[in-house]
Amino acid sequence: MVEVLEAGDRPTLARFGGIEAMLEASTDLAASPMMPEFLRLALDCLKEADGDAAARFAEFICRCLELAKDDFAWTEAVDLIDRARPLPTSVEERCFSRCLVLSGDRSVAPVTRATALDGALRWAVENRKRQLRLCLALLDIAADDDPGFLGRAAKIMGVAYSHWGESELISRLRALADVDGASDEVAFELGMAKLLDGLSAADRRAATASFEAASYWFNRAADAREQRPDARAYARCLDVLMAFSRGEGVDSLDQLASSLSRDAFEIHAWHTRSDIPPWLGARHAEAVSWELLALSLRALARHLDAPSWWEPAVVVERYLLAAYAAGRSILRGGRSSGVAALVCPRIEGTLVQSEWQAHLLKTWLARNAVSEWREEAECLAAKIDVLVEEGGRVRPPQAATAKPTVAALLDQAAIPADAKTVAKAVIADAQSVHIINMGGAEAAILQECAAAAWNLADYRENKNGRMLFNAVLAWTVRFVASRLDLTKRDVSGLSYLFERDDGSLPHESELQSDYHSLMLSNVLGTEIEVSNIGGGRADLRFVFGSERLVVEVKRESYDCSFDGLERFYAAQTTDYQNVSVRLGFLLVLDQTEVRTGGTPHISTLFRPTMVVRKDEAEPRYVVIFRLPGRRLIPSDLTKRSKKRAGSAGSGRHG
């Protein structure tokens, strides 16, 4: 075979003694690196053969796959057989079975096992029995398997879920979410699964929850590995979609779109090969569609905010109606209700507010009776008429996010009229002093934690829950900042933060008492040690209206890394979120070491984190704060430094 190829000749069956001779030598040929060339010859001959000859070629093809020893040859064989389909049923069944067996054989190279799993997916797409067998094999994959194989297997699981909707595959993916070396692929596939759920969601709330969960997993995938432009691109697309649905302006959408453009360039550079499997090519096309949707929404927002349209027909066709029917026009599918639930209300609300935009739409409709967009245009025009009849001029969605002023809140409060004027001035001054004196580091923490919380419906759509969380966040940040500034000479009750002469470690109750004192002074509705919360006793509970929020207080002397704290205490902390908003805090006294190097900066002492529980689509949100204990007063730090320097000097002279 090598001589034939080097001479530039085309291999022929007669050159190798016919199919009988190839069958007799099949064990040696299958084990050879040249096996793909013999396989290619057999596949070409099978197309023209029938009867016994066809059966012999089919047998040789199966043996090539079943007896192959060379990893690269085996991988090429899978592609060759797949491209030659359809093949006799017996051949496809044996090839599929061989792929399943090989994928589960840990003695085989991980890349070969992954290719086998890929082949099994290709041969299972149109056969329900094989689909079920493949799903069983995927569910049997263990977390202690090779990370390289697990990453490829996770991608197969995600694609299988998108095709067949087997929910157990999602449970299996979640079980693999923390495997080093595979976590980025697992998180990405969980993001794709939630993306699918969002597309098929029946209403705005369900769509929002699914798309937010998808964004969480895509961002987690991007954080798990540096080169994940596909994950970042999907996350940015969803950011644009959610920002558009919230009514955010062009500036915000422009910033998101700029980030998306950089990620899109990288993702397209990834997929330049012509031999990628069909399902990966479909994934690439899907990513392109989402990028187009995001960029179209950015452009549409600019037109919706514009005082006039230079080319109304272009705006109506290319942006307005295309976005209104995004499921069909951009995402090229029938599962459009989730996107429509987020996109359509802003379009409808804006056109109801703007009579001239509604007039241009109806004018376009009158002049384009046979347009492909006629059905969408009629639907939109009819919806506008209904909204006008029901409520007159309704506010567009962006108006709903406006914050009430102090004056407006006081007007609603049960305060005597003659006291409201003074109260307004006093509270406004107090707010001004607090904001002006707030450090940049504190403001940055507030911004990061609130931005992360915005991804959850419990924060974004629940006004009382959001206000309660913001109040507890603001004063918890102030508590941590103040405890970093003060010393035990300033306030005797802060001795629990400093190293004791006898080396004993303060109990967490001292932190709890100190924190409770400050919070009780600033957040009305603060309660301590409340029973029957999540089946246990919560350290501090905050109440506002019908919502409640819990801060769990702990001390830790073993591992106070954020990963360790999440691993140790996230389950308990989030268990207090079972019946109210899924928002909470974990405040930990860090007693792991004596602070001989000084006290950490406040920017290193917090982490917002999402916790996804089994069988729950909506993540739970916890902000973790570490308060450094076992500190030394500044003068002791100087003494210790001088003592170390003296010891080092004595050692050198000696």
Side-chain angles (χ1 to χ4, degrees), residues 283-303:
R283 280 288 185 84
H284 185 205
E286 186 175 358
V288 172
S289 295
W290 275 94
E291 293 158 17
L292 179 59
L293 172 64
L295 296 176
S296 296
L297 291 178
R298 187 267 302 264
L300 175 60
R302 181 177 291 106
H303 290 298

Side-chain angles (χ1 to χ4, degrees), residues 219-540:
N219 279 311
R220 184 162 166 175
D223 291 339
R225 197 177 82 195
E226 184 176 357
Q227 294 298 323
R228 285 306 310 227
D230 52 348
R232 290 197 305 270
Y234 269 112
R236 297 296 82 76
C237 288
L238 290 171
D239 287 345
V240 172
L241 175 62
M242 302 305 295
F244 182 89
S245 72
R246 293 192 297 265
E248 293 189 18
V250 174
D251 290 343
S252 175
L253 293 173
D254 279 345
Q255 293 178 2
L256 294 171
S258 296
S259 299
L260 172 60
S261 296
R262 292 192 297 270
D263 296 330
F265 176 81
E266 292 186 37
I267 191 175
H268 298 325
W270 270 25
H271 299 287
T272 56
R273 293 170 46 207
S274 59
D275 59 340
I276 58 176
W279 55 264
L280 189 56
R283 280 288 185 84
H284 185 205
E286 186 175 358
V288 172
S289 295
W290 275 94
E291 293 158 17
L292 179 59
L293 172 64
L295 296 176
S296 296
L297 291 178
R298 187 267 302 264
L300 175 60
R302 181 177 291 106
H303 290 298
L304 290 177
D305 293 344
S308 63
W309 294 343
W310 178 255
E311 296 180 290
V314 173
V315 174
V316 170
E317 295 175 9
R318 186 176 300 175
Y319 301 108
L320 187 70
L321 296 178
Y324 197 73
R328 174 176 71 84
S329 64
I330 298 176
L331 299 181
R332 308 294 181 187
R335 298 186 297 259
S336 61
S337 58
V339 172
L342 297 180
V343 171
C344 295
R346 178 172 179 180
I347 295 175
E348 295 161 356
T350 303
L351 265 64
V352 168
Q353 282 286 304
S354 177
E355 294 183 2
W356 67 268
Q357 289 184 3
H359 171 73
L360 289 174
L361 172 66
K362 293 180 179 180
T363 300
W364 179 92
L365 184 58
R367 297 178 179 178
N368 294 271
V370 295
S371 170
E372 63 171 317
W373 298 113
R374 181 172 181 81
E375 183 178 347
E376 284 79 11
E378 289 177 338
C379 179
L380 177 54
K383 186 65 177 288
I384 293 169
D385 290 339
V386 170
L387 289 173
V388 171
E389 291 176 3
E390 288 179 350
R393 287 289 173 260
V394 298
R395 295 188 305 163
Q398 55 265 42
T401 61
K403 300 286 185 182
T405 63
V406 173
L409 289 173
L410 281 169
D411 285 338
Q412 301 171 23
I415 300 174
D418 57 353
K420 286 185 178 180
T421 300
V422 175
K424 290 177 185 178
V426 171
I427 294 176
D429 288 345
Q431 282 189 327
S432 298
V433 171
H434 184 85
I435 293 172
I436 292 171
N437 288 336
M438 180 184 294
E442 290 181 64
I445 295 174
L446 297 179
Q447 179 182 13
E448 182 173 342
C449 293
W454 187 265
N455 292 318
L456 283 82
D458 282 0
Y459 180 89
R460 187 182 57 259
E461 299 178 7
N462 186 322
K463 179 181 177 181
N464 283 356
R466 180 172 64 252
M467 293 177 67
L468 180 59
F469 175 86
N470 287 345
V472 175
L473 172 64
W475 287 108
T476 301
V477 172
R478 182 85 290 273
F479 170 80
V480 174
S482 67
R483 269 48 189 169
L484 295 178
D485 280 340
L486 297 172
T487 71
K488 60 183 178 181
R489 293 175 181 174
D490 298 323
V491 182
S492 59
L494 298 187
S495 61
Y496 72 93
L497 294 173
F498 294 84
E499 179 72 354
R500 293 176 172 176
D501 293 338
D502 61 2
S504 62
L505 300 180
H507 193 268
E508 64 199 44
S509 61
E510 296 185 54
L511 168 60
Q512 182 190 62
S513 177
D514 183 28
Y515 179 66
H516 176 254
S517 296
L518 181 139
M519 299 302 282
L520 185 62
S521 301
N522 294 284
V523 184
L524 295 179
T526 301
E527 302 171 322
I528 190 169
E529 292 285 356
V530 181
S531 299
N532 299 319
I533 304 296
R537 179 183 293 273
D539 288 335
L540 278 90

Side-chain angles (χ1 to χ4, degrees), residues 559-569 607 624 626:
D559 178 6
C560 213
S561 66
F562 286 118
D563 289 340
L565 295 177
E566 182 177 346
R567 186 168 61 252
F568 298 151
Y569 303 118
R607 176 194 279 185
I624 303 174
R626 293 186 311 206

